[in-house]
Amino acid sequence: MSAPTSTPSTASAVASAPAAASGLLTRTQLTAVAVALLAITWGFLPEFTVVVMSYIGLYSIVAVGLVMLTGVGGMTSFGQAAFVGIGAYATAWACTSPAAVQALSGLVGMGGLPWVGLALGLVLTFVVAWGLGSVTLKLSGHYLPLCTMAWSLSLYYLFGNMQFLGGQTGITGVPPLTIVGYSLADPRVLGVLIWAVLLVSMWLMNNLLDSREGRAIRALKGGRVMAESMGVDTAHYRIKLFVLAALLAAVSGWLYAHMQRFVNPTPFNLNIGIEYLFMAVVGGAGHLWGAVLGATVITLLKQKLQDVLPSLLGTSGNFEVVVFGLLMIFVLQRFAEGMWPTLQRLSNRLLRPSKVSPPKSAAVLEQRTLPASGSVILEAKNVTKRFGGLVANNDVSMRIKAGEVHALIGPNGAGKSTFFNMISGVDDPTEGDVRLMDKVMGKSPSRDFAALGLGRTFQHVRLLGQRSVVENVALGAHRRAHKGWIASMLRLDRGEEAALLAEARRQIERCGLGAFADVPAASLALGQQRIVEIARALAGQPAVLLLDEPAAGLRHLEKRALADLLTQLRAEGLGILVVEHDMEFVMNLADRITVLEFGTVIATGTPTEIQNNQRVLDAYLGGADDLAAGITK
Ligand code: ADP
Ligand code: MG
């Protein structure tokens, strides 16, 4: 077994860290000690340090949201500062505008106004983020970052031009927070709240990432097609993640307003939005603690640079922005994943791996009743697919029955993958119907296919390479459990999560990869990664299994093991379609074979019929020996 190339942050993965580590503390204990130290020394730190630490806390809250959005979810936003602004302005307005004060103070008292401000900020942010998200998140590539810049700029100018928000001067006289009559005016006291909010947010996010929903969020980075095939509604998840990051930013803005006691548009402009992104990326875009590290480094550095640069250069100006740009390039060159993973690797040598207690009382996952053996479960009726003038599939019909292995073969470019995409919902036929479980699928997305019992693998393996094999496989069972984001954040999903992981392990064992369950998927050989994809598909308890070249890259014994597995699955009543080039494998395994050439079916029949079919032999020309290989072996 090769050593893990990186150590993921979830508890289950930490357990697999090299046993060589022999430190005193586990990672969790070290965190607890650090937090305790901070708490104990907090009262003695100099005033200035407390203020700087409070700012670092505020920035970290925003950066934690960005780690979720950018590092984990793969969406880049330059616009988080605008959401901080919404949070800050909402509370400043609620606490100071005569109209609001008059209407609300009678109800909640003056001390209650900031809490109304918080609620207002969160609601506004929710609405704005959901609205912006549903428009901009549909865009791909460079458009999303560009859009975040655009609305960041527009919100900034909006703040500056609204007279009731004080224009460029902003709003002064924002009151300090009070909690049950106790004032948080002293920065040392407010700082405690800021860090408490930060730590609680990180705990919630950590829990979310370490759950079924977290796997779905990570899957967003694995590409839309893969995530959708696992039953994840990617558009919905992207919007939710975007809103979540925005809400964290708004909470930071709320705290900021009550710390500064005034707001103006400057801290919410695009520059600062870019700085937040720096923090997340420099710290380590995929790691929650990287957000805190990034916020600390950038805040301290910015302060130093603002002091030093103007006197060095003899003029004043925002030179730190230039230096930041250079710094970012350096860090990304040197530490591609940000600084946190490097620190983590170093610390792994000093830390003791944490023990994972076996989960108690696993919940029961949703079970599917498989259709009777011999019934048609997937059917393509006269399916044609055109790409412009090219007819990739021409009037293809095929039936896949429960308890049968059906092979689809044909020379390169024959249209096999195209057909595969249409019967799995990745693409829609130009003409003709696909029926799954007797349901006409029309233009249904692939997650609907998954819901009806279709599991699949990909010709080009699509796994989350950095995550462990067991996490990758558990993603396949996504649809069989139901706990949502809030339940996951609050750890109310443990029974279900234990059941999902147990199911994943069962499928990994079954596919013969038990020894690799806890290593990152990318550390496996390509052939084994294909098997992981099969295990992932099986975790969804499919009725139909579509395998695109499952034997490619496997050694002889591994191929035989795969054939045994598929034979067993067939006996259990699954319907299996394989696209495969290895003729020996196909001829020995398949019950029926369909041959495609130039997008057209030229033959369908048993292996023996196919091997004796003249058209097929002609189509394969030089490959005829390959075809014959199946008979002789
Ligand atoms: P196979 O998997 O059998 O090798 P494919 O289904 O990948 O074949 O391709 C069949 C034909 O369709 C090829 O000529 C290929 O170039 C073409 N094709 C596949 N996908 C697209 C696409 N998205 N746009 C245009 N042409 C495509
Ligand atoms: Mg192909």
Side-chain angles (χ1 to χ4, degrees):
M1 187 188 345
S2 53
T5 48
S6 85
T7 309
S9 62
T10 61
S12 58
V14 171
S16 68
S22 59
L24 281 175
L25 298 172
T26 64
R27 188 173 299 285
T28 320
Q29 286 164 342
L30 179 69
T31 311
V33 168
V35 172
L37 268 181
L38 181 63
I40 292 165
T41 49
W42 188 255
F44 306 100
L45 294 174
E47 187 77 29
F48 180 71
T49 312
V50 165
V51 172
V52 172
M53 292 282 293
S54 299
Y55 276 112
I56 290 176
L58 288 174
Y59 297 150
S60 298
I61 297 173
V62 185
V64 163
L66 266 177
V67 160
M68 297 293 292
L69 185 69
T70 304
V72 181
M75 290 170 272
T76 308
S77 166
F78 291 99
Q80 294 313 98
F83 292 124
V84 181
I86 295 181
Y89 267 102
T91 195
W93 179 81
C95 292
T96 59
S97 107
V101 172
Q102 203 185 8
L104 295 169
S105 61
L107 280 175
V108 296
M110 290 304 280
L113 289 177
W115 302 96
V116 176
L118 174 63
L120 179 67
L122 291 178
V123 169
L124 269 178
T125 304
F126 188 93
V127 172
V128 172
W130 197 283
L132 285 171
S134 50
V135 179
T136 50
L137 294 182
K138 292 211 179 78
L139 307 171
S140 54
H142 303 311
Y143 292 107
L144 175 64
L146 284 177
C147 275
T148 65
M149 287 188 191
W151 52 253
S152 170
L153 284 172
S154 26
L155 276 175
Y156 168 69
Y157 284 110
L158 203 66
F159 293 140
N161 286 310
M162 302 259 244
Q163 280 322 306
F164 76 101
L165 296 180
Q168 286 298 331
T169 351
I171 300 176
T172 53
V174 179
L177 287 178
T178 55
I179 296 182
V180 285
Y182 184 74
S183 164
L184 307 190
D186 182 354
R188 206 175 291 271
V189 183
L190 185 62
V192 173
L193 178 66
I194 291 173
W195 274 80
V197 169
L198 170 62
L199 291 172
V200 169
S201 310
M202 288 174 72
W203 181 72
L204 294 174
M205 295 307 121
N206 182 59
N207 292 349
L208 177 59
L209 286 179
D210 181 28
S211 75
R212 158 184 182 268
E213 295 293 55
R215 279 189 293 276
I217 293 172
R218 290 188 202 278
L220 297 177
K221 244 189 167 174
R224 202 185 61 82
V225 170
M226 187 276 273
E228 290 271 336
S229 300
M230 299 303 131
V232 177
D233 183 346
T234 51
H236 192 66
Y237 273 72
R238 281 161 67 98
I239 291 189
K240 271 167 93 170
L241 192 57
F242 187 69
V243 170
L244 179 72
L247 288 176
L248 281 171
V251 170
S252 170
W254 174 71
L255 290 163
Y256 176 86
H258 291 287
M259 183 163 106
Q260 287 283 77
R261 312 280 291 280
F262 71 86
V263 294
N264 67 8
T266 317
F268 313 124
N269 66 17
L270 183 57
N271 270 356
I272 311 292
I274 295 174
E275 252 171 50
Y276 283 127
L277 194 61
F278 272 1
M279 291 175 189
V281 172
V282 166
H287 302 262
L288 294 172
W289 279 104
V292 181
L293 181 65
T296 309
V297 168
I298 300 277
T299 307
L300 297 181
L301 201 72
K302 187 177 168 185
Q303 233 175 29
K304 270 275 164 289
L305 290 176
Q306 273 171 347
D307 288 350
V308 174
L309 279 185
S311 56
L312 265 185
L313 299 171
T315 50
S316 60
N318 294 340
F319 295 112
E320 74 272 9
V321 178
V322 179
V323 177
F324 276 169
L326 296 175
L327 173 86
M328 180 119 135
I329 292 170
F330 169 74
V331 169
L332 292 182
Q333 285 281 325
R334 193 80 186 69
F335 312 96
E337 299 268 285
M339 290 153 58
W340 186 256
T342 308
L343 258 186
Q344 207 176 29
R345 262 194 296 281
L346 289 177
S347 71
N348 271 346
R349 298 200 196 129
L350 306 172
L351 291 173
R352 196 154 52 85
S354 24
K355 266 209 198 84
V356 182
S357 47
K360 296 167 210 96
S361 69
V364 179
L365 299 180
E366 206 172 87
Q367 303 290 325
R368 193 191 309 281
T369 19
L370 295 180
S373 205
S375 53
V376 176
I377 40 184
L378 179 61
E379 183 174 16
K381 263 192 176 162
N382 311 103
V383 163
T384 294
K385 180 69 184 179
R386 293 196 189 89
F387 294 111
L390 180 93
V391 187
N393 281 168
N394 185 12
D395 203 22
V396 178
S397 295
M398 188 188 290
R399 295 168 135 198
I400 298 167
K401 294 180 184 161
E404 184 183 88
V405 176
H406 199 128
L408 179 62
I409 64 172
N412 265 332
K416 303 182 295 292
S417 292
T418 303
F419 184 69
F420 208 91
N421 283 340
M422 283 189 292
I423 56 173
S424 57
V426 173
D427 211 344
D428 307 319
T430 317
E431 284 158 31
D433 277 336
V434 173
R435 284 167 167 268
L436 178 60
M437 301 293 166
D438 253 346
K439 216 174 149 244
V440 179
M441 298 309 286
K443 289 192 184 308
S444 305
S446 48
R447 60 174 185 278
D448 289 358
F449 284 69
L452 283 172
L454 184 138
R456 67 165 296 181
T457 64
F458 296 91
Q459 182 177 355
H460 305 286
V461 172
R462 297 187 190 185
L463 294 170
L464 301 174
Q466 301 294 315
R467 312 306 301 174
S468 67
V469 168
V470 68
E471 277 185 86
N472 272 286
V473 173
L475 175 64
H478 181 78
R479 290 206 68 100
R480 298 175 63 192
H482 303 282
K483 290 274 194 279
W485 287 42
I486 308 241
S488 301
M489 284 186 207
L490 298 173
R491 294 259 161 203
L492 301 174
D493 65 333
R494 292 296 91 184
E496 207 181 68
E497 174 70 1
L500 285 170
L501 293 178
E503 172 69 7
R505 282 185 195 275
R506 203 160 31 243
Q507 298 302 345
I508 293 168
E509 286 291 340
R510 183 188 203 183
C511 295
L513 289 177
F516 302 98
D518 294 302
V519 305
S523 67
L524 267 56
L526 194 61
Q528 291 173 319
Q529 294 189 27
R530 290 187 186 285
I531 306 293
V532 174
E533 286 213 334
I534 295 179
R536 181 175 67 185
L538 290 178
Q541 209 187 30
V544 203
L545 194 56
L546 308 187
L547 308 174
D548 205 344
E549 304 205 10
L554 292 189
R555 279 173 290 206
H556 188 68
L557 281 179
E558 292 170 330
K559 274 184 196 170
R560 202 183 294 163
L562 174 62
D564 288 346
L565 174 67
L566 297 184
T567 308
Q568 188 199 336
L569 292 173
R570 164 170 62 191
E572 289 172 17
L574 259 75
I576 303 171
L577 176 72
V578 276
V579 169
E580 186 50 64
H581 280 298
D582 184 327
M583 284 308 146
E584 188 191 339
F585 184 85
V586 167
M587 294 299 165
N588 286 326
L589 182 69
D591 299 300
R592 293 168 66 72
I593 299 176
T594 297
V595 189
L596 272 185
E597 191 194 19
F598 300 122
T600 308
V601 175
I602 57 168
T604 301
T606 63
T608 324
E609 286 166 359
I610 294 299
Q611 278 163 330
N612 296 317
N613 184 308
Q614 196 50 49
R615 262 192 92 180
V616 178
L617 292 173
D618 290 345
Y620 270 82
L621 284 176
D625 292 345
D626 279 355
L627 271 181
I631 314 176
T632 53
K633 298 257 163 104

